[in-house]
């Protein structure tokens, strides 16, 4: 199912046109194998969020190729008719801001996606609770989002990104509001997911606590990427 992981070739994104146009991505190449967690690092304004949004079919690239799993999804134009289904079934998003649904409790915020995908409610809730437990927020399972701290909300949002076991997970600064121990436990969970479900995962981060854990890192600067070995430090 996860097939080839993520493959990006010559990806370009221009915002706007004419004098005010911004070339945010200038020909990005990147590959993430199934089962791999890769770091994406770069200064503010270098194009990290733009890259994740293109890959997540949230915005339209300008040119290039993108492959997710076995599917060529973009080749100078979208090759998938239903982008909403692509986002729902193939991609788990973890954003900087949690965007929880305010009128659903924590468990249902996480269980909603599998329910929408046709998983029976009991199983969806059980799956949600497993992830909430792994992320150490199970004691907040019945709380409403407004009752949670920022760090708790973020951990719930991470559970929601993982719950449908998508072949691709895109995480934009997922550990920014978390303390060191919780940040590392998030990375441990992402690595477990990757191994267990052959998920290809990209983590955008500045977080010095987690950067040493990546085996491979892409640096992005001025809209271009280059690849580097990471330390691949074991998480104790
Ligand atoms: N919607 C937009 N319209 C115009 N320019 C944008 C838009 N979003 C991002 N940019 C520009 O594209 C460049 C890359 O931004 P972004 O991908 O958000 O960088 P990062 O996430 O690395 O901080 C920046 O110069 C930014 O100002
Ligand atoms: Mg950003």
């Amino acid at each position: 199912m996860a097939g080839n992981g993520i493959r990006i070739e010559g990806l370009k994104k221009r915002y706007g046109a004419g004098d005010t146009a911004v070339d945010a991505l200038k020909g990005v190449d990147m590959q993430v194998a199934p089962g791999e967690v890769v770091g994406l690092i770069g200064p503010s304004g270098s194009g990290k969020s733009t890259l994740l949004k293109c890959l997540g079919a949230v915005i339209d690239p300008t040119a290039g190729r993108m492959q997710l799993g076995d599917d060529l999804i973009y080749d100078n134009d979208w090759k998938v008719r239903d982008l909403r289904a692509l986002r729902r079934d193939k991609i788990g998003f973890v954003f900087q801001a949690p965007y929880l649904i305010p009128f659903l409790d924590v468990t249902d915020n996480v269980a909603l996606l599998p329910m929408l995908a046709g998983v029976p409610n009991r199983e969806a809730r059980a799956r949600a609770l497993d992830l909430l437990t792994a992320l150490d927020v199970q004691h907040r399972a019945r709380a409403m989002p407004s009752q949670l701290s920022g760090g708790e909300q973020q951990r719930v949002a991470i559970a929601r990104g993982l719950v449908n076991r998508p072949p691709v997970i895109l995480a934009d600064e997922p550990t920014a509001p978390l303390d060191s121990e919780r940040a590392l436990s998030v990375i441990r969970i992402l690595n477990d997911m990757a191994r267990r479900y052959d998920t290809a995962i990209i983590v955008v981060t500045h977080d010095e606590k987690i950067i040493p854990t990546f085996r491979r890192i892409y640096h992005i600067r001025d809209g271009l990427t280059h690849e580097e070995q990471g330390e691949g430090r074991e998480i104790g």
Side-chain angles (χ1 to χ4, degrees), residues 26-234:
K26 297 178 182 165
V28 163
D29 297 317
M30 190 166 177
Q31 284 173 43
V32 187
E36 191 182 23
V37 181
V38 151
L40 176 62
I41 297 170
S44 175
S46 58
K48 303 180 298 293
S49 295
T50 300
L51 178 57
L52 287 202
K53 287 178 193 164
C54 287
L55 194 53
V58 177
I59 61 174
D60 298 322
T62 309
R65 285 159 67 86
M66 298 190 290
Q67 184 157 339
L68 287 192
D70 294 325
D71 305 319
L72 182 64
I73 62 163
Y74 186 91
D75 188 2
N76 290 314
D77 202 350
W78 292 108
K79 296 293 156 192
V80 183
R81 227 179 313 147
D82 190 347
L83 292 179
R84 194 191 288 189
L86 174 78
R87 287 193 292 266
R88 185 193 59 214
D89 299 336
K90 298 285 174 86
I91 302 164
F93 294 99
V94 181
F95 294 111
Q96 268 163 298
Y99 300 117
L100 299 176
I101 298 171
F103 51 84
L104 294 180
D105 73 14
V106 161
T107 306
D108 282 345
N109 258 281
V110 179
L112 180 65
L113 277 174
M115 285 177 189
L116 290 176
V119 174
N121 289 10
R122 263 172 57 116
E123 193 190 326
R125 290 215 174 84
R127 222 194 257 182
L129 205 55
D130 276 354
L131 274 173
L132 292 169
T133 303
L135 287 154
D136 196 24
V137 272
Q138 71 285 0
H139 57 293
R140 307 298 269 144
R142 308 301 292 274
M144 301 306 279
S146 62
Q147 300 171 306
L148 305 180
S149 71
E152 287 170 342
Q153 289 185 21
Q154 185 61 357
R155 280 177 283 149
V156 175
I158 289 164
R160 186 186 49 191
L162 305 184
V163 70
N164 261 357
R165 299 168 189 163
V168 168
I169 291 172
L170 306 176
D172 198 348
E173 301 272 5
T175 62
L178 305 179
D179 64 32
S180 182
E181 191 183 331
R182 294 215 157 101
L184 287 171
S185 86
V186 164
I187 295 302
R188 186 185 308 113
I189 287 160
L190 290 175
N191 277 292
D192 286 350
M193 284 291 295
R195 260 196 306 271
R196 201 157 5 140
Y197 300 114
D198 262 353
T199 317
I201 302 181
I202 299 176
V203 179
V204 168
T205 192
H206 293 96
D207 189 343
E208 297 294 342
K209 305 186 289 287
I210 67 170
I211 288 172
T213 68
F214 299 113
R215 288 211 186 79
R216 223 151 56 78
I217 292 173
Y218 282 89
H219 288 268
I220 182 166
R221 182 176 290 280
D222 292 333
L224 285 171
T225 42
H226 68 267
E227 188 191 333
E228 189 180 89
Q229 279 293 95
E231 280 182 52
R233 196 183 290 170
E234 290 296 322

